Amino acid sequence: MAVDLHVHSNVSDGVYSPRELVLMAKAKGLKAFALTDHDSVQGVPSALSAGDEVGVYVIPGVELSTDIEDAEVHILGFYIDMSSTCLHEVLATLKERRRERTAKILHHLKALGIDIPLDYVLTLGKEGFTGRSQIFKAMVNLGFARPEKRYGDFEKYLGKKGLAYVEHHGLSPKEAVRFIRDSGGAPVLAHPGTHIPHGFIDELIDFGLEGIEAYHPTHSNETTRKWLEFAKSRNLIVTGGSDFHGGNPADAPGLGSLPVPDSTVICLTQRWLEIQAV
Ligand SMILES: [Zn+2]
Ligand SMILES: [Zn+2]
């Protein structure tokens, strides 16, 4: 039995529908998983009902993209309250900003001789979701880029230092933490890697951060160990997941493929209940 607390569906940039993911989780013998789509919770209701149906514990989640100077900071929110009005308002604003950003990126690409209509990109995302993965898909479909990671076309055009890159103006990390708390959830810093300073995390803790995603496919054993120690020193909970998107099996680890301890779900749930009780 295993758990996976970081999974994307086709509601954001994943390949499989929320329901398909639940069935896959069941087939793999997963005990629990969290659906954590980018800036969207629209897949949560169908994941929850499929989970009830087949007996997989589904945690409603979200992953918010935020930016600091040189790095992307992602904040996961677990046990989001789907009835929160502030939740839907903020996510609608973020969706609109994603759309504006996509239009700007397409403008830059056009100047580079890559002409892709916005309407076409919008057809590639579910529920109006748009991001760099949909733009890249459009580039591939129209013959402007090769899909394989090894050719580096994604990085060349759409990566943080890419030719057509445009900053995503989402929430600041502090706003994201606060917003998840206001929406009834437990905020967790996603895949901190090796570049996020401890002092920065301490500031987020003051805003209500409750955990660190120590287990992530981009983390070496050493990195995971460091974050486990850090979490202990700050009384933060620990989470982890495969960050599964589907797609090319060579590019990404499979659903439930990371050895995340079952205890993470118990600690997360306990901490969330404690937050609720305050
Ligand atoms: Zn992320
Ligand atoms: Zn993710």
Side-chain angles (χ1 to χ4, degrees):
M1 284 299 211
V3 299
D4 193 331
L5 298 178
H6 192 151
V7 178
H8 296 274
S9 77
N10 63 0
V11 164
S12 62
D13 56 349
V15 170
Y16 300 101
S17 71
R19 188 184 162 79
E20 283 170 327
L21 288 170
V22 173
L23 299 180
M24 286 163 77
K26 176 73 181 173
K28 288 189 171 233
L30 292 195
K31 203 186 273 181
F33 92 94
L35 186 70
T36 54
D37 276 311
H38 296 285
D39 298 349
S40 175
V41 291
Q42 291 193 34
V44 166
S46 64
L48 287 174
S49 64
D52 277 349
E53 203 182 295
V54 301
V56 173
Y57 185 66
V58 176
I59 298 173
V62 69
E63 180 175 28
L64 301 174
S65 305
T66 72
D67 284 297
I68 53 172
E69 208 120 306
D70 282 324
E72 267 183 48
V73 174
H74 290 177
I75 308 284
L76 291 160
F78 296 104
Y79 286 111
I80 291 287
D81 176 5
M82 292 295 289
S83 66
S84 151
T85 41
C86 115
L87 171 77
H88 295 285
E89 277 168 21
V90 173
L91 292 180
T93 309
L94 290 176
K95 193 171 171 180
E96 189 47 43
R97 287 197 200 154
R98 276 186 174 276
R99 217 183 159 104
E100 286 165 13
R101 179 200 192 203
T102 295
K104 282 185 194 159
I105 292 178
L106 292 181
H107 189 75
H108 287 322
L109 284 174
K110 197 171 180 180
L112 296 165
I114 298 173
D115 195 357
I116 298 172
L118 175 63
D119 285 350
Y120 176 57
V121 177
L122 292 176
T123 63
L124 299 175
K126 279 266 153 121
E127 319 271 359
F129 178 90
T130 168
R132 285 180 294 167
S133 52
Q134 279 79 30
I135 298 174
F136 189 62
K137 203 169 173 186
M139 289 173 73
V140 170
N141 291 353
L142 299 176
F144 292 115
R146 289 159 296 185
E148 296 85 356
K149 245 189 183 170
R150 65 179 181 278
Y151 292 117
D153 283 342
F154 184 93
E155 282 308 310
K156 181 181 171 190
Y157 293 103
L158 305 173
K160 188 109 187 163
K161 297 202 164 61
L163 296 168
Y165 183 78
V166 171
E167 199 89 352
H168 171 60
H169 291 292
L171 303 165
S172 75
K174 285 175 186 168
E175 283 171 336
V177 165
R178 222 36 266 175
F179 163 58
I180 289 165
R181 290 296 292 255
D182 291 346
S183 308
V188 169
L189 178 62
H191 46 75
T194 52
H195 59 279
I196 308 267
H198 289 185
F200 172 76
I201 300 174
D202 285 331
E203 285 177 30
L204 293 185
I205 294 172
D206 290 341
F207 273 74
L209 187 79
E210 294 290 347
I212 292 264
E213 187 181 44
Y215 303 96
H216 189 267
T218 58
H219 289 177
S220 66
N221 290 342
E222 177 64 8
T223 304
T224 297
R225 197 184 55 74
K226 279 187 180 158
W227 289 119
L228 289 174
E229 273 172 24
F230 178 82
K232 207 170 179 183
S233 72
R234 305 295 201 278
N235 188 31
L236 292 170
I237 54 160
V238 164
T239 70
S242 63
D243 212 345
F244 181 66
H245 286 75
N248 187 351
D251 284 348
L255 179 69
S257 62
L258 216 64
V260 180
D262 292 3
S263 60
T264 52
V265 173
I266 299 162
C267 295
L268 166 63
T269 308
Q270 262 170 6
R271 183 64 69 95
W272 172 64
L273 290 170
E274 281 164 24
I275 302 174
Q276 296 301 100
V278 174

